[in-house]
Amino acid sequence: MSAKLHIKKGDNVIVISGESKGQKGKVLSVQVEKQRAIVEGVNMVSKHTRPNAKNTQGGIVKQEAPIHISNLMLIDPATGNPTRTGRRMGENGKLVRYSKKSGEEIK
């Protein structure tokens, strides 16, 4: 069984520790089993690629590498500041995420 994560695809996050500390970006994908996320423009690595149909030249390509979920913090949509998240029952009886700072629901 996998744990419920506080970050989902499409969220805006800030990196709170590590080499990319302070960088902001949008979550492109989440690897739930590994507890990692790929964030746009964060944790860039150089990957050596061979020539293929997609990239006929080959060479070195810069791309995002996964970063651990614990190093990411959600940005509150209302204030634009980093915030912790909680879960509570919404109006429709489903669990919804909310900002611990502003108390607003996170879509």
Side-chain angles (χ1 to χ4, degrees):
M1 190 175 135
S2 60
K4 193 84 165 162
L5 302 177
H6 64 282
I7 286 172
K8 290 183 180 179
K9 180 179 174 180
D11 285 346
N12 286 316
V13 295
I14 186 167
V15 181
I16 56 173
S17 71
E19 203 172 296
S20 304
K21 182 177 180 176
Q23 291 183 358
K24 295 179 182 180
K26 189 176 183 178
V27 177
L28 301 175
S29 69
V30 178
Q31 300 166 353
V32 179
E33 327 75 47
K34 295 183 179 177
Q35 300 230 332
R36 292 181 167 270
I38 295 176
V39 183
E40 193 173 30
V42 175
N43 197 22
M44 298 297 282
V45 294
S46 299
K47 185 178 181 193
H48 297 256
T49 57
R50 301 178 88 166
N52 57 28
K54 193 175 180 185
N55 184 4
T56 55
Q57 188 68 32
I60 300 169
V61 178
K62 287 276 203 183
Q63 68 180 41
E64 294 96 351
I67 188 166
H68 200 270
I69 292 282
S70 65
N71 296 333
L72 300 175
M73 198 169 206
L74 195 70
I75 294 175
D76 191 347
T79 62
N81 296 328
T83 181
R84 292 180 297 135
T85 57
R87 282 189 219 89
R88 65 179 172 210
M89 283 295 192
E91 294 100 44
N92 56 1
K94 285 190 170 182
L95 275 178
V96 293
R97 296 181 301 161
Y98 72 97
S99 165
K100 292 265 191 166
K101 277 193 179 171
S102 66
E104 280 196 38
E105 195 174 299
I106 298 166
K107 303 289 186 263

